[in-house]
Amino acid sequence: MKILRYLTAGESHGRGLAGIIEGVPAGLALTAAHIDAQLARRQLGHGRGGRMKIERDRADILSGVRRGETIGSPIALLVWNRDWKNWEKAMRVEPGGGPAPRAVVVPRPGHADLVGGVKYGRPDLRDVLERASARETAMRVALGSVARRLLEEFGVSVASRVVSIAGVEDPTDAARLGAKGLNARADASPVRCLGREAAAAMVAAIDAAAGSGDTVGGVFEVLASGLPVGLGSYAQWDRRLEGLLAHALMSLNGVKGVEAGLGFAGSRRRGSEVHDGFFRDKTRSGIVRRTNRSGGIDGGISTGETLVLRCAMKPIATLLAPLPSVHLKTRKEAKAQVERSDVCAVPAAAVIAESLAALVLADEFLVKFGGDSLAEVRAHHEASKGP
Ligand code: EPS
């Protein structure tokens, strides 16, 4: 992140999550309602755990916005944890208060528990899981909503849909539909999947996993439409758009793979079946592509076609029928400790990934068209279109 910078703080069962985003131009319309709409989308999806029934995530805007408009100063946000009232003793900030309840001493395979405990020297693994939890992504969605608001001003839509859960695939080709209007369709499904039959099979797969104390992962797609040509650059390794997006998406809890365009499938085809040919046409540039197998990026630069990214999310590491583990105090083999969790969070992860992609795209937008006010950014954007 070059112009937009952001940080989050907060534990899953602490008082709340905090975030700061800096570099947002002045004069952008922004209200808590813009942010809350995205926070609500993150809370949905078949297979979520009990926590989502407790929380009603809402953003408190502390700074950087006045009378519904950004003023150019850092925007500080808070999302309060309603669950905090049940954890005040366990998560007490001040010293004292007797031994901490709800200690975690048997790490969950696949979670940050063990490596985090070793790394930070924390015998109570709660100190690890509280921050490693995907609860933190509520703040990333809140911050991403600000980026999304900026992109909207320039006709850029960022959306997502679930492609598969537990190996059940939806054959719909969403990339051809583009991002505009996609979320309205995906959000209507309990698994954010476009195909009805596939959605029903995904729900059944989640229920079957839940029934045997297991969890499931899946694949989701993030699309962005309305992007200009020229975000990112080949000029230096850390400016390539694919790399920037992959970094952001791989930072999302549970994501183990990211593809752009044809991705891995392209490696099995010949060049003639991979690259998007150019054709003459009456548009301003005079050149069009009839396919978008590149996923909207050539040479680390946006092509102006729909950005198509796909992420693979592993199943959540907390299993009700727990995996083998070792008790950190007794050093005896034991079943992993069971914490309340989700059976499937793929639909929510897709919403979070939209936000992470929006943050990268808004940053690159400001790198190319930057300005301190929205009016300046708009003028630079208009000028780039040429006479
Ligand atoms: C999450 C909140 C958590 C989990 C989930 C995501 O709530 P709790 O731990 O209180 O049940 O539902 O966290 C994890 C999957 C994890 O591995 O920690 C949320 O707000 O998204």
Side-chain angles (χ1 to χ4, degrees):
M1 305 294 288
K2 300 171 188 92
I3 293 180
L4 281 184
R5 298 187 294 161
Y6 68 97
L7 282 175
T8 74
E11 278 76 43
S12 180
H13 305 102
R15 281 185 67 193
L17 302 161
I20 294 181
I21 184 163
E22 197 202 24
V24 179
L28 177 70
L30 181 70
T31 64
H34 288 128
I35 302 172
D36 294 349
Q38 301 304 326
L39 288 173
R41 293 180 62 230
R42 194 200 74 96
Q43 289 203 257
L44 299 176
H46 190 77
R48 300 305 303 273
R51 180 72 180 274
M52 290 304 109
K53 294 190 179 72
I54 298 172
E55 303 298 343
R56 300 276 178 281
D57 291 337
R58 295 267 185 283
D60 248 357
I61 303 177
L62 260 70
S63 71
V65 181
R66 187 164 166 250
R67 294 175 175 261
E69 267 194 14
T70 59
I71 56 172
S73 44
I75 298 170
L77 304 177
L78 286 172
V79 173
W80 298 105
N81 289 328
R82 287 177 119 197
D83 207 15
W84 158 248
K85 62 178 187 302
N86 303 315
W87 291 82
E88 279 191 48
K89 192 158 191 296
M91 295 301 293
R92 182 185 162 94
V93 171
E94 293 297 319
R102 299 170 124 156
V104 177
V105 287
V106 193
R108 291 162 294 174
H111 210 281
D113 298 350
L114 180 61
V115 285
V118 171
K119 179 174 168 70
Y120 290 99
R122 307 307 295 169
D124 180 354
L125 302 178
R126 178 154 302 287
D127 290 349
V128 175
L129 67 94
E130 284 291 336
R131 181 65 184 157
S133 165
R135 177 79 192 134
E136 180 266 346
T137 61
M139 182 45 72
R140 284 199 268 173
V141 167
L143 297 170
S145 312
V146 181
R148 191 191 290 266
R149 205 45 290 295
L150 178 69
L151 293 170
E152 276 169 6
E153 289 288 332
F154 297 93
V156 178
S157 319
V158 185
S160 69
R161 61 102 182 205
V162 168
V163 175
S164 73
I165 286 178
V168 177
E169 291 231 10
D170 175 15
T172 314
D173 182 359
R176 277 186 37 205
L177 303 173
K180 217 169 173 194
L182 179 66
N183 276 344
R185 287 182 61 192
D187 289 351
S189 154
V191 281
R192 307 204 61 254
C193 162
L194 300 179
R196 272 173 181 248
E197 272 177 39
M202 288 177 193
V203 167
I206 294 168
D207 291 344
S212 46
D214 221 324
T215 57
V216 287
V219 174
F220 56 84
E221 213 162 58
V222 176
L223 307 185
S225 296
L227 286 172
V229 180
L231 302 188
S233 176
Y234 54 78
Q236 198 56 265
W237 67 271
D238 59 353
R239 295 179 60 193
R240 287 181 172 267
L241 192 59
E242 266 146 341
L244 296 165
L245 288 161
H247 183 190
L249 295 175
M250 289 286 271
S251 79
L252 171 52
N253 315 42
V255 168
K256 285 292 199 182
V258 176
E259 293 181 317
L262 285 180
F264 278 63
S267 70
R268 296 185 284 271
R269 296 189 187 184
R270 288 187 170 179
S272 55
E273 296 167 324
V274 167
H275 303 295
D276 305 305
F278 299 135
F279 299 91
R280 296 274 324 252
D281 147 288
K282 290 199 178 71
T283 57
R284 201 189 315 231
S285 75
I287 300 175
V288 290
R289 294 166 178 80
R290 291 184 187 150
T291 51
N292 180 27
R293 297 158 178 156
S294 73
I297 305 175
D298 275 341
I301 298 177
S302 61
T303 64
E305 300 294 322
T306 302
L307 180 74
V308 185
L309 304 164
R310 221 165 293 107
C311 298
M313 185 190 191
K314 69 178 182 176
I316 280 169
T318 308
L319 273 63
L320 272 183
L323 293 170
S325 184
V326 175
H327 193 294
L328 291 190
K329 282 201 182 122
T330 65
R331 296 282 155 176
K332 289 202 172 115
E333 289 188 358
K335 292 283 182 200
Q337 207 151 321
V338 178
E339 290 281 304
R340 176 186 59 195
S341 190
D342 309 314
V343 174
C344 176
V346 177
V351 174
I352 302 159
E354 286 173 30
S355 312
L356 301 179
L359 282 159
V360 171
L361 295 173
D363 187 42
E364 287 305 312
F365 207 89
L366 292 173
V367 166
K368 183 149 177 64
F369 306 113
D372 294 311
S373 66
L374 192 63
E376 275 182 1
V377 181
R378 214 183 280 290
H380 295 154
H381 183 249
E382 282 303 315
S384 79
K385 290 181 183 166

